[in-house]
């Protein structure tokens, strides 16, 4: 995968930010989301910063794809599930949403054409509001007056 070719080191965090914010897919990230991603994804060294996850490890993870048992476990989920996906016409993870929903006992698909694979990092406020609304909250972290059983986030 392209991860194997990823640059591993930078003179500093700002250089890393400038690098990732100038090319896909991270050029579409919300600036605060990209900074948060890099705050945990970079390790300080005497020469600057390096990626916390080696490109070869990231590539190996990506190459595993569907080689796990998660799909087999889906029929055992006992609650209603909304499978939120990005644009179903784009190749990538959104194309698996129907497969996931079909294996769940009680699922609906909510396809968002404006959202891509990295929607939480590209549209964090919209995604947070969508999740909050699905739990009956009027906005992220605030109760709506109904007893949802969901505690406020710290």
């Amino acid at each position: 995968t392209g991860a194997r070719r990823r640059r591993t080191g930078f003179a500093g965090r700002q250089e890393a930010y400038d690098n990732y914010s100038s090319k896909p897919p991270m050029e579409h990230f919300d600036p605060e989301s990209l900074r948060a991603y890099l705050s945990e994804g970079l390790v300080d060294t005497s020469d600057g910063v390096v990626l916390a996850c080696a490109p070869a490890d990231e590539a190996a993870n990506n190459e595993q794809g569907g080689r796990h048992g998660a799909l087999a476990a889906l029929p055992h989920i006992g609650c209603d599930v909304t499978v939120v996906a990005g644009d179903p016409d784009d190749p990538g993870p959104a194309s698996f949403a129907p497969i996931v929903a079909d294996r769940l006992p009680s699922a609906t698909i909510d396809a968002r054409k404006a959202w891509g694979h990295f929607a939480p990092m590209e549209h964090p406020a919209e995604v947070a509001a969508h999740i909050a609304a699905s739990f009956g909250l009027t906005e992220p972290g605030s109760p709506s007056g109904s007893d949802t059983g969901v505690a406020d986030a710290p």
Side-chain angles (χ1 to χ4, degrees):
T1 68
R4 291 190 192 284
R5 297 185 306 275
R6 194 174 317 285
R7 181 176 169 187
T8 59
F10 302 91
R13 291 177 181 273
Q14 186 60 49
E15 182 181 359
Y17 179 88
D18 293 343
N19 175 72
Y20 288 117
S21 67
S22 68
K23 54 189 168 187
M26 294 180 192
E27 69 182 346
H28 302 292
F29 281 24
D30 173 83
E32 186 177 335
S33 295
L34 179 55
R35 289 199 188 283
Y37 172 82
L38 293 174
S39 76
E40 300 300 321
L42 297 172
V43 176
D44 293 309
T45 69
S46 59
D47 296 325
V49 295
V50 296
L51 295 174
C53 179
D57 294 339
E58 180 184 359
N61 183 56
N62 293 342
E63 290 162 0
Q64 292 304 305
R67 298 179 192 156
H68 52 72
L71 289 176
L74 294 178
H76 305 289
I77 294 177
C79 62
D80 294 341
V81 175
T82 301
V83 179
V84 180
D87 186 348
D89 297 327
D90 284 344
S95 65
F96 295 106
I99 295 167
V100 170
D102 285 346
R103 285 180 168 79
L104 289 160
S106 179
T108 57
I109 297 177
D110 182 357
R112 303 284 175 130
K113 284 192 102 36
W115 291 3
H117 174 57
F118 294 105
M121 284 76 81
E122 296 169 345
H123 309 283
E126 289 177 45
V127 172
H130 182 70
I131 293 168
S134 73
F135 284 102
L137 304 174
T138 56
E139 57 186 72
S142 53
S144 67
S146 65
D147 182 13
T148 63
V150 177
D152 287 344

